[in-house]
Amino acid sequence: MNTRAAEQNLFENKNNQRGKKKEKENIPLAHRMRPTDFSEFVGQQEAIGPNKPLRKALEADRLSSLIIYGPPGCGKTALAHIIANQTSAAFEQLNAVLAGKDDLREVIKRAEERIKIQNKHTLLFLDEIHRFNKAQQDALLPSVEDGTLTLFGATTQNPHFYINDALLSRSVLVEFKTLSENELKTVLNRALNNREKGVSREIKLTDKAQKHLLEAANGDARRLLSGLEIAVRSTDSDKIDLKQVEGALQKSYVEYDKNDDHHYNYASALIKSIRGSDPDAAIYYLARMLKAGEDPRFIARRLVIAAAEDIGNAAPYALTLAVSAMQSVEYVGMPEAQIPLAQATTYLASSPKSNASYKAINSASQAIDNGLNLQAPDHLRNQVCSSSSEKGKSVSYKYPHDYPGHYIDQDYLSEKHRFYEPTELGQESRLKRYLEQTSRREEN
């Protein structure tokens, strides 16, 4: 080979290497790091860990229709690609955001032809299945029912809210959880150490940079890898610090450890600010907890407790609003769920306060612990009578709705005890006045 030909081959080889490197760089890191088998899959041990029934069925290629739901980046799509690599069935994939009835018909048509010609079944991975409307789901149902298609649906939403009962009844439902910090750390280390699929050069993260990256990911492996990739591309250095991670995530570092004192300190500060009727402080602590990646479900549960414990009957609607906010967290997810959480937080903090119900149950419980053992009076016990008008009531029981004001003085405890002491605050003052009008609350 002459010198010019050798130089030309060398030039072509370098171009090919550059092209392959460029092609790899154009594929997102999160996509490159998708597991190809279960040895590379991280998390969800309760659902698909070794020896779990679903894992055994998948490894034996005996998958029945399956719907997996869980937050973004927890491994739903990753599992689909593992199945695609292992199954003997034909693998079809649709995204319900983009696909319509025509796309679904084409998939079903190909599946029917495979059965007739090759006696081969088809597995359909339908991502974002909750985005299919009722008509589209109905069109899918007959093929799932007769076995033409085995469905693998994935969704971030609760399937009971979005998926037809008929389709649900023919599928196994599996819930995936957010990845723990240790599981995210495993994903991060693999990406940093795998030169073929992961980061192509040696990179080290400072402790604070790694901590912020893991916390900001909030259990989402895709978000973690995307943040890492942007941080790596933003520098030629082999060391990435906190400032570079903040720039990559467009999110400032918030000192907050979900597994340490910060978790409890800020939760305590939020509740005490609500109790102290300071909506500005309460909304700050809410924002700080959410910014740091706190589980919004944890916050929502605390708000429900605060509504009953610290506000109670002074503003009864507070509990309804708090429960609605908790349901919204499950229904819409983050980041939109921060809006109903903010509404509930500010309403609770701005409401009149009463812990009378909280004190009442504690007082009654303490009395029982101290030996108070009261039997229900005879006239309150469930006794069947012959009179149809008094059915289910003893003869001596007086039905309050039969009397003026829907009230009649009679004993409901075998001994007089007072546990509930309503306050003069908010709507509870009306309850107090009503009770004072009855003989049970008149002073002796």
Side-chain angles (χ1 to χ4, degrees), residues 42 180-191 210 214 224:
V42 177
S180 68
E181 191 165 302
N182 283 336
E183 289 167 343
L184 286 177
K185 194 177 291 185
T186 299
V187 174
L188 177 63
N189 289 334
R190 286 181 180 177
Q210 176 175 291
L214 292 170
L224 171 81

Side-chain angles (χ1 to χ4, degrees), residues 299-429:
I299 299 172
R301 289 192 295 269
R302 299 307 306 168
L303 295 180
V304 170
I305 295 168
E309 178 180 343
D310 295 308
I311 297 165
N313 290 328
Y317 180 68
L319 180 58
T320 302
L321 185 62
V323 170
S324 295
M326 182 173 66
Q327 292 172 338
S328 297
V329 169
E330 297 290 348
Y331 191 73
V332 304
M334 290 294 288
E336 291 86 354
Q338 67 181 331
I339 302 169
L341 286 175
Q343 180 186 355
T345 297
T346 52
Y347 185 88
L348 267 57
S350 304
S351 295
K353 304 299 186 293
S354 170
N355 67 344
S357 298
Y358 172 70
K359 290 171 68 176
I361 187 62
N362 286 343
S363 178
S365 297
Q366 186 62 52
I368 294 169
D369 290 341
N370 291 339
L372 184 64
N373 183 16
L374 303 179
Q375 300 299 317
D378 288 343
H379 62 278
L380 297 186
R381 298 182 184 184
N382 187 24
Q383 297 177 7
V384 180
C385 302
S386 58
S387 172
S388 60
S389 62
E390 293 291 327
K391 188 175 182 180
K393 298 173 285 187
S394 67
V395 175
S396 59
Y397 171 65
K398 298 173 183 177
Y399 188 53
H401 295 293
D402 290 339
Y403 295 87
H406 297 257
Y407 170 76
I408 183 65
D409 186 19
Q410 63 184 330
D411 291 331
Y412 291 89
L413 282 175
S414 54
E415 295 177 8
K416 293 285 186 182
H417 286 273
R418 183 172 294 187
F419 301 114
Y420 178 50
E421 295 285 357
T423 70
E424 290 284 358
L425 295 169
Q427 295 187 48
E428 195 166 39
S429 62

Side-chain angles (χ1 to χ4, degrees), residues 226-245:
S226 297
L228 172 64
E229 184 171 33
I230 295 171
V232 170
R233 289 184 175 185
S234 67
T235 180
D236 293 327
S237 172
D238 60 357
K239 188 175 183 180
I240 293 177
D241 59 21
L242 175 60
K243 187 175 181 180
Q244 289 163 322
V245 171

Side-chain angles (χ1 to χ4, degrees), residues 9 46 52 58 141 161 179 205 263 286 302 306 335 395 400 439:
N9 285 340
E46 289 184 10
K52 294 292 184 180
L58 294 173
L141 180 61
F161 293 138
L179 298 184
L205 280 75
H263 170 77
L286 172 66
R302 299 307 306 168
V395 175
S439 61

Side-chain angles (χ1 to χ4, degrees), residues 171-242:
S171 306
V172 176
L173 288 185
V174 179
E175 183 180 7
F176 272 15
K177 309 289 187 181
T178 54
L179 298 184
S180 68
E181 191 165 302
N182 283 336
E183 289 167 343
L184 286 177
K185 194 177 291 185
T186 299
V187 174
L188 177 63
N189 289 334
R190 286 181 180 177
L192 290 171
N193 296 322
N194 189 326
R195 294 289 172 269
E196 182 182 349
K197 299 198 310 183
V199 178
S200 58
R201 56 192 173 91
E202 186 172 348
I203 290 288
K204 292 192 179 299
L205 280 75
T206 65
D207 290 343
K208 277 197 170 182
Q210 176 175 291
K211 185 173 185 288
H212 184 36
L213 190 60
L214 292 170
E215 290 184 350
N218 197 27
D220 184 336
R222 192 181 300 111
R223 185 186 301 175
L224 171 81
L225 294 173
S226 297
L228 172 64
E229 184 171 33
I230 295 171
V232 170
R233 289 184 175 185
S234 67
T235 180
D236 293 327
S237 172
D238 60 357
K239 188 175 183 180
I240 293 177
D241 59 21
L242 175 60

